[in-house]
Amino acid sequence: MFLISSHPVKKSDLGFHGNLFGGKCLSWLDAAAAGFAMQLCDTPRMVTLLIDECFFEKPAKEGQLVKIYGTPKEVGNTSITIYMEARAHNVYTGIQTTVIKTNIKFVRIDEEGNPIPISERAKGRINKIIEGIVDIEDKTI
């Protein structure tokens, strides 16, 4: 899993019961995954196609840091599926608890919104990351 982004939970992020509002967390997750998909696929033209079942395991509270992690799970001709997790990080203890996990699928599109293929170079690199052959930071492939 790769750390993609972090967000401090502020009072304005809370819902009725003092927990991080689910919609806010989903927004952070989708935005982080979109940027990750763009990075992996070497293109800014990636759009969200599907957010799989979302299971909110534990709440995040004000003052915690939400860390968003992801890893590519599958790459197709025009799409990539990324496994995503948001974790509440206690800044005092370093203990992390999973808030939500899901799979998000993105599609590469052209200027008119039609699906187009992800480059063979990007697909090859993504498959090597999935197989554990290379790390995401390895730009030599």
Side-chain angles (χ1 to χ4, degrees):
M1 297 276 281
F2 305 99
L3 176 63
I4 302 170
S5 65
S6 299
H7 301 270
V9 179
K10 305 179 302 284
K11 191 175 289 302
S12 61
D13 300 325
L14 304 179
F16 298 111
H17 302 288
N19 299 326
L20 174 63
F21 181 63
K24 176 68 84 171
C25 189
L26 280 173
S27 173
W28 291 344
L29 212 61
D30 187 37
F36 194 44
M38 291 174 191
Q39 176 184 342
L40 290 170
C41 296
D42 300 331
T43 178
R45 302 200 59 89
M46 300 298 289
V47 295
T48 306
L49 176 67
L50 171 76
I51 297 178
D52 210 354
E53 178 180 78
C54 298
F55 180 65
F56 290 89
E57 295 186 14
K58 294 276 185 182
K61 300 287 188 181
E62 182 179 6
Q64 289 183 314
L65 188 63
V66 172
K67 292 189 170 192
I68 298 178
Y69 296 86
T71 192
K73 183 176 176 185
E74 182 180 2
V75 64
N77 186 43
T78 62
S79 67
I80 183 170
T81 302
I82 301 173
Y83 173 76
M84 298 291 295
E85 277 186 15
R87 301 177 191 164
H89 177 90
N90 184 309
V91 296
Y92 300 109
T93 65
I95 295 172
Q96 293 186 4
T97 55
T98 301
V99 175
I100 184 174
K101 53 188 172 185
T102 190
N103 292 301
I104 305 180
K105 182 179 261 189
F106 294 89
V107 175
R108 182 177 183 207
I109 59 167
D110 63 16
E111 297 79 19
E112 296 170 359
N114 299 309
I116 58 173
I118 295 168
S119 74
E120 291 302 319
R121 181 174 150 256
K123 284 194 282 190
R125 186 177 65 252
I126 294 163
N127 278 320
K128 287 180 180 178
I129 293 167
I130 292 169
E131 295 166 10
I133 297 171
V134 297
D135 188 85
I136 191 161
E137 299 301 323
D138 189 347
K139 292 292 187 184
T140 61
I141 53 171

